[in-house]
Structure formats: C-alpha cells, structure tokens
Amino acid sequence: CRIRPSEPRSTCSEAPGAAALVEDESPEKIVVACDGGPASRAALDWVIDRALRIPAEVDVVTVEETDWLPLGTDPSEFRRACADVLSGAASHLAHRHGISWVTTTLLSGKPSQELADASAYADVLVIGSRRVSAAVGALHRTLALRLAARTSCRLVVVPADWQLPSGPIVVGVGDDPAPDGAVEDAADEARRTGRALLVVHAWSLPAPFSILDALLKTTYPTLEAL
C-alpha cells in the first residue's frame, strides 16, 4: 500500500476479488473527491464505469475545512463525519471489476488547493458537480472552474444526474495549430468505448458583421465559404 508521506491520516485497503489488470496496461491512477453528496456518488459511479475498460487504482479523498468552525470548537466530530464519508465511498468501490486498489485520504485545507495538489499524484482527478447557472458560475467561480486551470492531470467533472452514456464522445477544438491533448484523449475514449467521435468548433462573428451583410451576401467571402 502506498501512502504519501505528507498525508499521515491516509488509510488503505486492497479491493478483494478485484479483476486482474489488463496485460501490458498499467492501472490508471484516479483521485476522486467525495463529500458524501449525490454529486460525489455520481463521480464514484463514473469511476466504476471507467474501470470496466481501463484498470484503475483509486484514491478517494475528502477535504476537511475547519477554518469556518467557531473558535474553540472541537473538530473531532466533524473529522469523524469525514472519515465516515471516506469509508462509505471505499465500500462503494470495493469488489468492482477493474479496480485493483482503493485508498482513502483525508486532507485539510481549502478544497481547490488540496485537490490541485493531489492531482500531481494522479492520471485523472474526478469531482462531482451540481449544475449551476452561468451567472452563478461567473460570479462565484465553482470548484470545477477553479480546478480547471490548476490541475496537474486530466480533470473530469461529473454532474449529479450523470447516467451511463450512449451518445458520441464530443470534443471541442480551437484555432490553435499546436497539438491538442484533448482531441487525442477523446479519440482514445471513443476507441475504447466503440462510440463515435464528434469534433466541434465554436466561433463568433466579427464585430462589423451584421444580419444585413448576410442577407446581401456582398461581404465576408471567407465566412460565406465556411
């Protein structure tokens, strides 16, 4: 069992009866954040589904935030609740096909910082997310938005109402000529799942462009060609 020295409160357990790893393919190291809510359960279910195709070693983490507790409050009860969350998540992942190892880690601090640091040890960081309006996301910056620019590995955001997918793998591309790792990952995912790959690109009309220009078709030949 590998426990990171900086996290002495980690506990670990091998998943009994786990399926043998695919030959010549190293298990993917997945860190999945869990707080006991429905979004976290969806994230765990996503990990279980992925392990059916890619063998995985999973570290379930939760972050205790004790800074907001009143001064002098004993944090032990709050910490026990965090431990219960980790235990429940580990039980949910136990005996699952493709998951060869499950660890649990209790972190302490700001979730965005702690999870970003934890991503340095992972191939994939998975978090659950409740859907919010665009205005809320812009004003308050959800955890997913804060993590997106800070993780050291791929970040997967699983909505609370996630279900087993059946549609194509969708990947967005920009106009940057440099190689795009997201496209490569999406192509690999499409190959593993046997699903179609849909590549999309979004763009905005130039500022001088107007509906009148479109109707008259006298300007912007490049846009007309597109």
Side-chain angles (χ1 to χ4, degrees), residues 1-4 7-16 28-34 44 47 56-62 82-83 85-95 99-107 118 121-122 124:
C1 173
R2 297 184 297 277
I3 300 177
R4 299 197 286 274
E7 295 161 4
R9 291 197 297 274
S10 298
T11 59
C12 60
S13 60
E14 188 172 5
E28 195 171 52
K29 296 176 176 60
I30 299 178
V31 171
V32 54
C34 188
L44 295 174
V47 171
E57 295 178 351
V58 184
D59 185 16
V60 184
V61 304
T62 193
C82 291
V85 166
L86 291 175
S87 177
S91 296
H92 188 62
L93 294 174
H95 308 284
I99 299 178
S100 59
W101 202 263
V102 178
T103 64
T104 62
T105 302
L106 177 60
L107 304 173
Y121 301 91
V124 183

Side-chain angles (χ1 to χ4, degrees), residues 121-136:
Y121 301 91
D123 298 314
V124 183
L125 172 63
V126 184
I127 66 171
S129 178
R130 292 181 296 274
R131 298 184 187 275
V132 296
S133 67
V136 171

Side-chain angles (χ1 to χ4, degrees), residues 179-219:
D180 193 336
V183 174
E184 295 178 3
D185 286 345
D188 286 342
E189 187 70 11
R191 174 181 56 81
R192 288 190 178 102
T193 59
R195 292 154 61 191
L197 176 65
L198 176 61
V199 181
V200 299
H201 173 69
W203 52 277
S204 300
L205 294 173
F209 189 81
S210 67
I211 298 299
L212 181 60
D213 292 323
L215 293 175
L216 295 177
K217 295 186 177 181
T218 57
T219 58

